[in-house]
Amino acid sequence: MIFLRNFIGIISESSNCKVFILHARKALLSKYNASKNLRIPPLNYSHVYRIKRDFPYYKIVINGGVETLEAQIHLQYLDGMMIWT
């Protein structure tokens, strides 16, 4: 989490980037292949919400396991989402 927060801080300060699309699942590349990484590691939406609280002036969009029925929940905390269909 600290690495991600620092990364966003550095990128936003050194560039014109104001939108960040964050995946809510940590990839375990040494343990799972790409297909399994889309299903096995747990989703952690609270990490993405925390980034939005830390950087309220940037657009933070979530990706990872979001289905249409839960969209309104995420929009209470974030600026957008990518929906899984």
Side-chain angles (χ1 to χ4, degrees):
M1 188 69 193
I2 293 170
F3 174 84
L4 180 59
R5 189 178 304 123
N6 291 341
F7 177 78
I8 290 174
I10 290 168
I11 294 298
S12 61
E13 289 173 10
S14 63
S15 72
N16 215 8
C17 186
K18 304 293 183 222
V19 178
F20 295 88
I21 300 172
L22 303 178
H23 202 286
R25 186 185 319 268
K26 183 175 184 177
L28 303 173
L29 300 176
S30 62
K31 191 170 183 178
Y32 304 115
N33 64 24
S35 176
K36 288 183 179 179
N37 261 300
L38 294 174
R39 294 177 279 114
I40 294 176
L43 291 161
N44 195 333
Y45 298 127
S46 64
H47 284 313
V48 182
Y49 298 161
R50 204 168 312 139
I51 290 294
K52 178 60 180 177
R53 282 194 307 269
D54 292 344
F55 298 96
Y57 32 86
Y58 297 132
K59 290 196 183 290
I60 305 295
V61 177
I62 195 168
N63 179 21
V66 178
E67 297 182 11
T68 55
L69 295 178
E70 59 187 317
Q72 291 300 321
I73 295 169
H74 296 298
L75 289 176
Q76 293 176 38
Y77 306 100
L78 304 167
D79 300 300
M81 78 207 77
M82 298 174 79
I83 296 176
W84 178 265
T85 59

